[in-house]
Structure formats: structure tokens, C-alpha cells
Amino acid sequence: MSMLNASTLSHPAAFLLDGIPGLEATQFWIAFPFCIMYAIAVVGNIIIFFIIKTEPSLHEPMYLFLAMLAITDVVLSTSTLPKMLGIFWLDSREIGFHACLTQMFFVHAFSTVESGVLTAMALDRFIAICYPLRHSSILSIPVTMAIGSLVLTRAVLLVSPISILASRLPFCGHRLISHSYCEHMAVVKLVCGNIRANIIYGLFVGFMVVGFDVLVISVSYALILRTVMRLPCTEARLKAVSTCASHTCVILAFYVPALFTFLTHRFGHHIPHHVHIMVANLYLLVPPMLNPIVYGVRTRQIQGRVIRLFQLRGI
């Protein structure tokens, strides 16, 4: 019984999310563009996934990875935005302890999945441009699905300990999370005990995931660029560069705010807190919103099927 009481008292039944500290007066209005971006992200990614799923000619590695990215974006944005809008519009700031840990898991796990899928897409472009005749044999459908499973498994195995470690920490009744969602470091800063293990493991996961994925992406694009520059035809070079341009934009939109958020929590104490929180919020919104727009506009096969889909429905 004493152990049960100690466990119960070690953390509050619920936390309070602070929204965007310093911008409380404008949060109501900030929620409107957030809501629009969320709607575009959800609707756009569902359309992309539906088109790829129902069109047999798109059952190729490039489009299967894009379908994985679409589902990841829907889960990633949905794990935070509904609650965030509740905070901004309804002042519904309370979130249960276990709900907070669940949100933390989904945010970090599916951020890791997104990084892995972007890496897989870079490898797909590398093989398609550098080894075009062997592309279908190297990246067959079973291999593509195995890569997707591996990306998801990696995320679950790496992120699960973060939530488990956080659940065992003593919070001593501290409830106010200075953030719009249950981000790992924002939560563990409330702990009244030693959080060194959480900080070290968080850094390990961050540098392992981002470091490895960015290295693979950088090497892939360096080799792609070398191959493209050797192409004899200018038109072929432009087509190859254009094919990779959309993916490069998506990569930058994901990794730049991700690195800013990750490093600011640990080293950027001079950065205004509301700037940090705004970037952290946009990090979960802008890439999911941009991905269907970029790939829908830049990918001719998807663009044609989107137009056909709306024509069939009389839109």
C-alpha cells in the first residue's frame, strides 16, 4: 500500500499545458492559421494516400514511400493539433498524465518515422538515378514494405524508453508544462529528481536518428549530383534535378525546424521562449501541410489523378 501511495504521489493526475507562453493574448487568433494548416495537412495527405492505394500503376517504391509519409503526417499532426486548438480557443489546458505520455510517444515516434521515410525516399531517388536499370530489382515491393516496417520498428524501439523513463520520474506535484504539447524535455523539466538519464538518452536518440538519417540523405544526394553532372544531355540533367528538387524542399522543411527545436531545448537558453514554442508548433504543422502540396504539384502522375478525382465528383 505504501508503494502504491508513493507511486500515486510521484506524479500529478494531470498536467496543465501553457500554450505559447508570452503570447496568451494572441493565441485565439494564432489558432485560425493553425487550424487551416491542419485541415490542409489532413485532407491533402488522405487524398494522396487514397490515390496511391487505389491506383495500381502507382504501386511503386517512390509512391509507396509517399503513402507512408502521408499516413505519418496525419498521425503526427493529429497527435497535437486538436488538443492545441482546445487550449487556444477553449482554454482546455488540462491533459491526463498517461494521455500526456501517450502524446509524447506519438510525437517523437512519428517524427522518427518521418525522418526514416524521408531517408528511404532519398535512397530510392539515388537508386533510380544512379542505377536505373537495377531499380526494380533492388527496390522490389517486398523490400519497400520491409524498409517501411524497419522504419516503424526503429521508431518504436528508440522512443518507447523515453516515455517509460518519464513515467518513473518524481514530479512532486509540479503540473504546468511550458509548452503547447507534451514534448519530452518540456515534461521532464518539471521533475524534482535527477533527469540526467533522460537528457543523455534523449540526446542519444536525437543524434542517432537525425545524425544517421541526415548523413545517409547527404551522401545519397552527393552521389546523385555527381551522376547528374555526368549526364551528356542537358534536358536529362534538368529532369533529374527537378525530380529531386521537391524532395529537397520537404527535407529542409522538416529538418531545419526539428534541429532548431531539439538544440534550443538544450543549448539555446537565450532564445525567447515564445519563439521556441512557435517553431516547435510549426515543425509539426508545416511539413505535413507542405508534403501533399509539393508532391501533388510536382508529381505529374498524382496531379493527374487528383484532377480526375475532383472531375468525377463534379468539383
Side-chain angles (χ1 to χ4, degrees):
M1 181 65 70
S2 61
M3 289 180 63
L4 179 61
N5 290 337
S7 175
T8 304
L9 294 173
S10 67
H11 64 75
F15 290 114
L16 292 176
L17 290 165
D18 204 18
I20 306 177
L23 297 179
E24 290 85 356
T26 57
Q27 285 182 167
F28 180 86
W29 303 108
I30 291 172
F32 285 97
F34 277 23
C35 184
I36 292 170
M37 287 190 286
Y38 175 59
I40 293 172
V42 172
V43 173
N45 282 295
I46 288 177
I47 290 174
I48 293 289
F49 178 79
F50 175 78
I51 289 172
I52 294 172
K53 183 178 183 297
T54 56
E55 182 58 55
S57 65
L58 297 181
H59 292 178
E60 299 175 1
M62 173 184 172
Y63 300 108
L64 292 177
F65 287 135
L66 184 54
M68 296 176 196
L69 188 66
I71 292 298
T72 302
D73 283 337
V74 170
V75 175
L76 187 58
S77 56
T78 301
S79 64
T80 58
L81 255 295
K83 180 60 181 177
M84 199 182 299
L85 294 177
I87 297 169
F88 295 167
W89 279 336
L90 306 174
D91 198 32
S92 176
R93 300 193 299 152
E94 187 171 274
I95 183 171
F97 179 78
H98 296 292
C100 184
L101 293 184
T102 301
Q103 186 186 65
M104 181 197 302
F105 172 80
F106 273 89
V107 167
H108 293 290
F110 279 87
S111 295
T112 303
V113 170
E114 178 134 356
S115 180
V117 174
L118 290 175
T119 304
M121 294 174 76
L123 287 172
D124 171 67
R125 291 300 84 207
F126 162 68
I127 296 171
I129 293 174
C130 298
Y131 302 98
L133 299 180
R134 299 174 57 193
H135 180 257
S136 58
S137 60
I138 296 173
L139 271 183
S140 62
I141 300 302
V143 171
T144 301
M145 300 311 294
I147 292 174
S149 300
L150 183 62
V151 165
L152 179 60
T153 301
R154 181 187 73 159
V156 172
L157 292 178
L158 285 176
V159 175
S160 292
I162 290 177
S163 297
I164 294 171
L165 286 171
S167 69
R168 299 173 179 272
L169 294 172
F171 288 87
C172 305
H174 298 159
R175 300 183 63 201
L176 184 62
I177 299 174
S178 187
H179 212 297
S180 303
Y181 57 88
C182 292
E183 198 272 343
H184 173 236
M185 285 304 299
V187 173
V188 300
K189 282 179 180 178
L190 302 182
V191 171
C192 54
N194 190 345
I195 61 172
R196 181 175 298 177
N198 298 75
I199 294 174
I200 292 173
Y201 186 74
L203 287 170
F204 164 74
V205 172
F207 284 119
M208 181 175 179
V209 171
V210 177
F212 176 79
D213 291 354
V214 169
L215 176 63
V216 172
I217 291 171
S218 301
V219 171
S220 297
Y221 274 92
L223 295 174
I224 288 172
L225 185 62
R226 187 185 68 174
T227 302
V228 167
M229 291 300 102
R230 291 178 176 177
L231 294 175
C233 178
T234 303
E235 184 179 349
R237 286 200 298 268
L238 291 175
K239 183 178 179 181
V241 170
S242 177
T243 301
C244 297
S246 57
H247 190 218
T248 304
C249 292
V250 169
I251 288 170
L252 292 175
F254 177 76
Y255 283 110
V256 170
L259 286 170
F260 176 87
T261 302
F262 176 76
L263 295 174
T264 299
H265 251 312
R266 292 156 176 86
F267 311 112
H269 303 296
H270 61 285
I271 295 174
H273 195 48
H274 65 274
V275 173
H276 172 209
I277 302 303
M278 278 294 292
V279 173
N281 293 339
L282 292 173
Y283 155 63
L284 299 180
L285 267 178
V286 174
M289 179 193 68
L290 282 180
N291 291 347
I293 295 175
V294 169
Y295 287 113
V297 171
R298 299 284 298 178
T299 308
R300 190 178 305 168
Q301 293 87 337
I302 292 179
Q303 185 183 46
R305 281 155 183 81
V306 169
I307 294 172
R308 189 191 311 169
L309 178 66
F310 285 120
Q311 287 175 341
L312 290 174
R313 282 157 177 75
I315 298 177

